[in-house]
């Protein structure tokens, strides 16, 4: 099978790429319902469920692309996929904002957990920048920033959990604020069956991610596109489809906190793509071998996350076109990033 994948034509690569993207989208729709039910049945709440269960599961295809790319000596594709995924997933939140017509989504889904996750994401992104600009020291070919990323991520999850059990801050409740309330209907599936379905769907997303990396490599070779362009424009968008599908599905189910937490929590988990890629890459520190046009997306992701947090704090109820000002700015930033990538 590996030989067939490596020898595929450009047409076959695009066909496989499109099929994987479609599978990810279909699986993602089902996954949102499963995670929402698990959040209610286990009592962990939508913020934690979105950050851990939904964020990790929908990110499996992306982490497979990044790790397999790094392992096969394509660090530029590995990092551009990870960083491009963070930017496009933040962009997807603006689509969810458009889908929720009653008010600005960031107004309705305001929660302490989402704000802490946003701050965690900013810290993780800054650690990636530190990895690039600190000396190229490694131990077993791994840069010291890599374990720090894992430690910071776990510490951030603990803060989110503590904020749920012992909140020290709460947003002002308005008529459009949607609180995280468990569904009183238990559903037909047992808790064990819900967990098994969750694991099965997550594994399906991971397998499609591996196939995406194979097809993306062929597309990059045959079209002459740079690995950065393929990572930002193709693989990051395709592997982020679960986030788009699950976020819109969560909004339609009324699970607004889950929708926002799934994006922000998924983005925080996506920074670990870089850490995992550094472990998989055997040529030294992965942070020091990627070009500036890839690192530009770290700065862009920081800016987009900062704008999103301003929206969560300002809580504009209605904005231009019935979406928040932060959604308009995020769209503009993403378009500017793509334009910069194409010019360079």
């Amino acid at each position: 099978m590996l030989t067939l994948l490596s020898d595929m034509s450009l047409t076959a690569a695009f066909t496989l790429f499109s099929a994987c993207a479609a599978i990810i989208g279909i699986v993602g729709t089902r996954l949102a319902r499963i995670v929402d039910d698990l959040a209610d049945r286990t009592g962990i709440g939508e913020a934690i469920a979105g950050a851990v269960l939904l964020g990790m599961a929908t990110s499996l295809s992306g982490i497979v692309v990044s790790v397999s790319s790094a392992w096969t000596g394509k660090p530029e594709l590995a990092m551009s996929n990870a960083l491009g995924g963070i930017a496009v997933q933040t962009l997807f939140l603006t689509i969810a904002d458009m889908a929720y017509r009653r008010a600005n989504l960031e107004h309705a889904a305001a929660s302490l957990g989402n704000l802490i996750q946003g701050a965690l994401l900013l810290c993780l992104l800054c650690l990636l920048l530190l990895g690039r600009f600190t000396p190229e020291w490694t131990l077993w070919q791994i840069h010291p920033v890599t374990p720090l990323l894992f430690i910071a991520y776990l510490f951030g999850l603990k803060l989110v959990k503590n904020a749920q059990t012992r909140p020290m801050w709460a947003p002002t409740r308005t008529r459009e604020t949607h609180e995280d309330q468990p569904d009183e209907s238990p559903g037909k599936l047992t808790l064990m069956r819900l967990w098994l379905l969750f694991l099965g769907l997550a594994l399906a997303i991971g397998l499609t991610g591996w196939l995406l990396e194979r097809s993306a490599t062929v597309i990059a070779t045959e079209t002459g596109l740079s690995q950065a362009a393929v990572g930002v424009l193709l693989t990051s968008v395709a592997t982020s489809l679960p986030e788009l599908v699950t976020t819109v599905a969560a909004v339609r189910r009324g699970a607004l906190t889950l929708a926002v937490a799934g994006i922000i929590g998924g983005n925080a988990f996506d920074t670990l793509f870089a850490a995992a890629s550094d472990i998989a890459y055997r040529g030294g520190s992965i942070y020091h071998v990627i070009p500036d046009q890839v690192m530009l997306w770290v700065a862009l992701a920081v800016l987009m996350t900062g704008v999103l947090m301003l929206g969560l704090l300002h809580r504009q109820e209605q904005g231009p076109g019935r979406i928040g000002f932060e959604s308009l700015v995020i769209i503009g930033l993403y378009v500017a990033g793509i334009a910069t990538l194409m010019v360079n």
Side-chain angles (χ1 to χ4, degrees):
M1 182 177 180
L2 286 173
T3 304
L4 290 174
L5 289 174
S6 60
D7 294 337
M8 76 174 80
S9 66
L10 180 60
T11 302
F14 271 116
T15 301
L16 178 60
F17 187 93
S18 301
C20 288
I23 291 171
I24 287 173
I26 294 169
V27 172
T29 304
R30 178 65 173 158
L31 196 61
R33 295 196 294 267
I34 296 297
V35 172
D36 191 22
D37 288 342
L38 282 171
D40 294 337
R41 296 281 290 277
T42 60
I44 61 176
E46 291 181 2
I48 288 291
V52 180
L53 299 181
L54 194 60
M56 288 184 179
T58 55
S59 297
L60 274 178
S61 57
I63 198 168
V64 170
V65 169
S66 288
V67 171
S68 57
S69 298
W71 181 257
T72 53
K74 297 185 284 290
E76 187 176 338
L77 177 58
M79 293 293 282
S80 61
N81 174 71
L83 300 172
I86 293 173
V88 77
Q89 284 159 203
T90 308
L91 178 71
F92 287 165
L93 198 56
T94 68
I95 298 176
D97 192 9
M98 296 174 189
Y100 188 69
R101 305 307 299 161
R102 288 187 55 179
N104 177 13
L105 179 61
E106 283 74 21
H107 172 92
S111 74
L112 178 57
N114 284 338
L115 284 172
I116 292 178
Q117 288 184 71
L120 169 64
L121 175 56
L122 288 177
C123 293
L124 293 172
L125 289 168
C126 289
L127 279 175
L128 290 179
L129 289 173
L130 285 176
R132 174 60 179 271
F133 295 109
T134 51
E136 195 175 347
W137 295 327
T138 60
L139 179 63
W140 299 310
Q141 305 298 314
I142 300 171
H143 193 275
V145 160
T146 293
L148 286 177
L149 283 165
F150 287 105
I151 293 169
Y153 178 77
L154 293 175
F155 178 70
L157 289 184
K158 185 178 184 222
L159 290 179
V160 175
K161 182 180 178 182
N162 290 342
Q164 282 193 313
T165 56
R166 297 187 303 274
M168 300 298 290
W169 177 92
T172 301
R173 298 297 170 187
T174 70
R175 59 194 174 97
E176 294 298 344
T177 302
H178 190 95
E179 296 188 36
D180 177 11
Q181 296 290 345
D183 190 351
E184 295 182 359
S185 174
K188 297 180 180 179
L189 298 177
T190 64
L191 185 58
M192 177 60 71
R193 186 166 174 78
L194 283 174
W195 279 115
L196 289 175
L197 281 172
F198 170 77
L199 291 175
L201 293 172
L203 286 174
I205 288 177
L207 176 60
T208 54
W210 179 75
L211 294 173
L212 272 173
E213 188 273 332
R214 304 286 120 178
S215 60
T217 299
V218 174
I219 292 171
T221 302
E222 295 294 328
T223 61
L225 288 172
S226 68
Q227 291 180 15
V230 171
V232 171
L233 300 176
L234 292 180
T235 62
S236 67
V237 174
T239 57
S240 297
L241 283 178
E243 279 83 358
L244 173 61
V245 174
T246 54
T247 300
V248 174
V251 167
R252 293 188 180 280
R253 284 174 62 89
L256 305 185
T257 301
L258 179 68
V260 177
I263 292 293
I264 302 177
N267 283 350
F269 186 74
D270 283 7
T271 61
L272 301 186
F273 291 10
S277 298
D278 186 41
I279 295 172
Y281 182 62
R282 296 291 80 199
S285 166
I286 198 170
Y287 311 108
H288 291 82
V289 297
I290 54 177
D292 289 341
Q293 68 183 86
V294 175
M295 291 307 297
L296 168 68
W297 286 86
V298 181
L300 190 65
V302 169
L303 187 53
M304 294 173 77
T305 303
V307 170
L308 175 59
M309 289 188 67
L310 286 175
L312 288 169
L313 288 167
H314 180 63
R315 301 187 64 203
Q316 182 182 35
E317 187 170 336
Q318 295 284 355
R322 298 181 65 85
I323 60 175
F325 76 92
E326 68 281 357
S327 292
L328 293 176
V329 175
I330 287 170
I331 292 171
L333 289 172
Y334 186 79
V335 171
I338 294 295
T340 302
L341 177 66
M342 299 308 294
V343 168
N344 292 334

